[in-house]
């Protein structure tokens, strides 16, 4: 099983083993007999080939794998050949449908187009609609069924995926200096970050730049200079843009050279040490001489790079100043317009005078209303005092009643406790009378008995007769 077919079987649910017989069969007749099955098979092939190309598993004549373009040739057919099912008999039909629907576009046509690929006109009626119209008048029509060999097509769904990744990667590039590139610098910056684990080819970058410039309108391109467009900027590349792009490319190249020279110096130092260890005087001196030359070149590159970085900082500062002046100019215009709407200090004074006059009228009306309300209501202070005293008397009565209830409850609890203790003494029986009272040891029980012997429980009748007895005395 080839790399391409193995990828489809392992990663695309439409290419599970149960579906392979249908996909590899000649399903062209299903266009009329079973339209749903025909559409399912065509969609599976289009989706499978697109995902395989995006993952870098589509065959290519160049050493670098393409991700945004697909080469339609015998190599693709051989890569899809299966030992069990042979070659896909209706692959040409699926590819023709993709070309007719605009999901795949021939590369020359894509690069030459001046209008966006999303622009639709009467000359680009989908083949499905045209075929339906032809069938209504008794004619046959629609995409062909032959394999479009020898063509290189642009896979539009893959383009949209990479364009979204590009927008995410460049979202934080807001400074003008960071949004300008030469074509070479642009490729080195983004070739390895747009697809995880993949690097875009030359064809991929040409197609992507064209797509982002013409169809997405996020790039401004002029020859070798590329600028990320701001919504407020035009698509024109200015002279300073080209200068900044050349400066950044030169700085990147010098940075790469300094890294190479640094590694060269380290390698020569190790060679010299090894030669000294082997007592090889000639090799050691030659390695040290080469090391000195590399160090001189490295120092020169660093000095040049430092100068270029200083120039870049000045350019970036100048660009920021230009933006600042533009903002200040627009702010001046806005303030002028707002001040014109205000009408000057005289108009503001007049408005404030009117406002104070109207507020004074409101205060006068409020005072009149307050006076009317005060004269109409007369409160008798004596009645208020009487009512207040009545409320206080009622509150005292409630407090006395609550205190009485608490006192009676406490007395009832004490009487109950006394009865309980008497009952306990009765259970102990009478105390022995043989021993004199003063020689008998005092126990807790005897102490309680002595204390309770002097107590007298007042009955309800006695409590009622007590006041009469006191008055009689």
């Amino acid at each position: 099983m080839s790399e391409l077919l193995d990828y489809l079987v392992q990663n695309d649910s439409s290419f599970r083993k149960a579906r392979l017989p249908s996909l590899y069969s000649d399903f062209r007749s299903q266009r009329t007999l079973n339209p749903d099955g025909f559409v399912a098979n065509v969609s599976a092939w289009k989706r499978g080939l697109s995902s395989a190309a995006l993952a870098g598993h589509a065959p290519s004549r160049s050493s670098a794998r393409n991700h945004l373009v697909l080469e339609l040739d015998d190599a693709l057919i051989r890569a899809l050949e299966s030992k069990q099912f042979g070659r896909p008999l209706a692959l040409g039909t699926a590819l023709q449908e993709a070309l007719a629907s605009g999901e795949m576009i021939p590369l020359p046509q894509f690069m030459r187009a001046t209008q966006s690929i999303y622009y639709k006109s009467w000359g680009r009626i989908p083949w499905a609609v045209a075929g339906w119209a032809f069938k209504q008048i008794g004619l046959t029509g629609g995409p062909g069924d032959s394999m479009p060999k020898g063509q290189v097509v642009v896979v539009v769904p893959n383009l949209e995926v990479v364009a979204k990744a590009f927008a995410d990667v460049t979202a934080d590039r807001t400074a003008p200096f960071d949004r300008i590139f030469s074509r070479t610098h642009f490729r080195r910056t983004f070739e390895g970050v747009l697809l995880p684990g993949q690097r875009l080819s030359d064809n991929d970058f040409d197609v992507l730049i064209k797509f982002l410039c013409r169809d997405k309108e996020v790039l401004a391109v002029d020859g070798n200079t590329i600028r990320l467009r701001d919504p407020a900027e035009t698509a024109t590349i200015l002279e300073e843009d080209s200068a900044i792009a050349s400066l950044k490319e030169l700085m990147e190249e010098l940075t790469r050279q300094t890294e190479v020279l640094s590694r060269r110096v380290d390698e020569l130092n190790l060679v010299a040490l090894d030669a000294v260890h082997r007592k090889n005087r000639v090799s050691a001196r030659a390695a040290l001489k080469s090391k000195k030359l590399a160090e001189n070149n490295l120092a020169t590159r660093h000095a040049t790079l430092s100068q270029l970085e200083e120039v870049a900082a000045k350019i970036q500062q100048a660009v920021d100043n230009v933006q600042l002046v533009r903002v200040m100019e627009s702010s001046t215009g806005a303030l002028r317009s707002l001040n014109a709407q205000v009408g000057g200090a005289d108009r503001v004074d007049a408005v404030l005078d009117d406002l104070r006059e109207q507020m004074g009228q409101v205060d006068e009306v409020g005072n009149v209303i307050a006076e009317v309300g005060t004269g109409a209501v007369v409160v008798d202070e004596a009645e208020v005092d009487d009512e207040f005293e009545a409320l206080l008397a009622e509150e005292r009565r409630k407090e006395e009643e609550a205190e009485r209830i608490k006192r009676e409850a406490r007395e009832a609890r004490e009487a109950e406790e006394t009865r309980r203790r008497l009952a306990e003494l009765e259970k102990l029986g009478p105390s022995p009378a043989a021993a004199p009272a003063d020689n008998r040891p005092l126990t807790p029980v005897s102490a309680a008995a002595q204390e309770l012997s002097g107590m007298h429980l007042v009955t309800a009748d006695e409590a009622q007769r007590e006041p009469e007895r006191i008055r009689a005395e």
Side-chain angles (χ1 to χ4, degrees), residues 68-377:
L68 306 182
V69 297
L70 183 64
E71 299 176 6
L72 307 181
D73 52 14
D74 292 335
L76 177 63
I77 298 177
R78 288 194 299 270
L80 292 172
E81 187 173 357
S82 169
K83 294 182 179 180
Q84 183 177 1
F85 305 105
R87 295 186 174 185
L89 300 178
L91 179 62
T93 301
L95 293 174
Q96 292 288 358
E97 290 285 341
L99 291 170
S101 63
E103 296 176 71
M104 295 182 182
I105 302 174
L107 180 60
Q109 176 184 339
F110 179 87
M111 299 300 293
R112 289 195 305 265
T114 57
Q115 291 181 327
S116 172
I117 61 174
Y118 300 111
Y119 174 76
K120 302 298 181 182
S121 65
W122 288 104
R124 299 181 64 183
I125 300 177
W127 275 109
V129 179
W132 177 84
F134 291 145
K135 289 178 182 178
Q136 298 304 310
I137 61 177
L139 301 176
T140 59
D145 296 328
S146 60
M147 178 72 182
K149 292 183 179 180
Q151 293 191 31
V152 179
V153 297
V154 177
V155 185
V156 176
N158 294 1
L159 259 180
E160 293 174 343
V161 171
V162 176
K164 184 179 182 304
F166 179 82
D168 296 337
V169 169
T170 58
D172 58 344
R173 291 181 176 268
T174 56
F177 193 85
D178 295 335
R179 293 187 286 111
I180 300 174
F181 307 87
S182 66
R183 188 175 287 267
T184 303
H185 186 205
F186 183 86
R187 177 178 177 181
R188 290 175 179 172
T189 303
F190 297 107
E191 66 179 350
V193 299
L194 299 180
L195 287 177
Q198 304 289 335
R199 303 181 73 86
L200 298 181
S201 65
D202 293 338
N203 286 337
D204 292 335
F205 264 101
D206 292 340
V207 169
L208 178 62
I209 292 173
K210 189 70 173 179
F211 181 72
L212 294 175
C213 177
R214 179 192 61 204
D215 303 302
K216 293 297 184 179
E217 297 182 349
V218 297
L219 293 183
V221 182
D222 184 10
N224 194 45
T225 305
I226 299 174
R227 187 184 77 237
L228 298 178
R229 288 182 59 183
D230 187 86
E233 295 177 345
T234 63
T236 305
I237 296 294
L238 304 178
E239 183 178 354
E240 54 264 29
D241 295 336
S242 300
I244 292 174
S246 300
L247 178 63
K248 291 179 67 176
E249 182 179 0
L250 181 56
M251 290 173 59
E252 183 192 25
E253 180 63 23
L254 287 175
T255 301
R256 188 178 62 82
Q257 291 180 11
T258 55
E259 293 174 354
V260 173
L261 287 173
S262 296
R263 290 195 297 269
R264 177 64 175 165
V265 169
D266 294 338
E267 291 173 358
L268 290 173
N269 187 49
L270 293 176
V271 171
L273 291 175
D274 182 68
V276 170
H277 181 70
R278 292 185 289 104
K279 310 298 183 182
N280 191 337
R281 180 183 179 87
V282 176
S283 298
R285 291 179 61 85
L288 290 175
K289 184 176 181 180
S290 299
K291 176 187 173 183
K292 289 296 182 182
L293 293 175
E295 288 177 343
N296 291 334
N297 289 334
L298 180 60
T300 303
R301 296 295 190 279
H302 275 300
T304 305
L305 182 60
S306 178
Q307 294 177 355
L308 292 179
E309 289 176 347
E310 184 177 357
V311 172
K314 294 297 183 182
I315 293 177
Q316 189 169 2
Q317 182 179 359
V319 172
D320 294 338
N321 291 338
V322 170
Q323 283 194 329
L324 178 60
V325 171
R326 289 176 180 174
V327 171
M328 294 174 66
E329 288 178 348
S330 62
S331 300
T332 302
L335 286 174
R336 185 181 297 109
S337 176
L338 293 174
N339 288 332
Q341 295 178 28
V342 170
D346 295 338
R347 184 186 175 193
V348 173
D349 289 338
V351 171
L352 291 177
D353 291 339
D354 292 341
L355 178 61
R356 283 191 289 268
E357 182 180 354
Q358 297 301 321
M359 291 175 64
Q361 292 181 4
V362 172
D363 293 338
E364 291 178 2
V365 172
N367 292 333
V368 172
I369 294 174
E371 291 175 359
V372 172
T374 303
V377 178

Side-chain angles (χ1 to χ4, degrees), residues 414 434 472:
E414 292 176 354

Side-chain angles (χ1 to χ4, degrees), residues 352-406:
L352 291 177
D353 291 339
D354 292 341
L355 178 61
R356 283 191 289 268
E357 182 180 354
Q358 297 301 321
M359 291 175 64
Q361 292 181 4
V362 172
D363 293 338
E364 291 178 2
V365 172
N367 292 333
V368 172
I369 294 174
E371 291 175 359
V372 172
T374 303
V377 178
V378 178
V379 178
D380 189 351
E381 295 293 337
E383 293 182 358
V384 173
D385 293 339
D386 294 341
E387 186 173 355
F388 178 70
E389 291 297 334
L391 292 175
L392 288 178
E394 179 65 21
E395 185 67 21
R396 285 195 297 269
R397 188 189 65 79
K398 291 181 179 179
E399 292 178 356
E400 292 175 355
E401 181 67 20
E403 183 65 25
R404 185 185 62 81
I405 294 174
K406 291 181 180 179

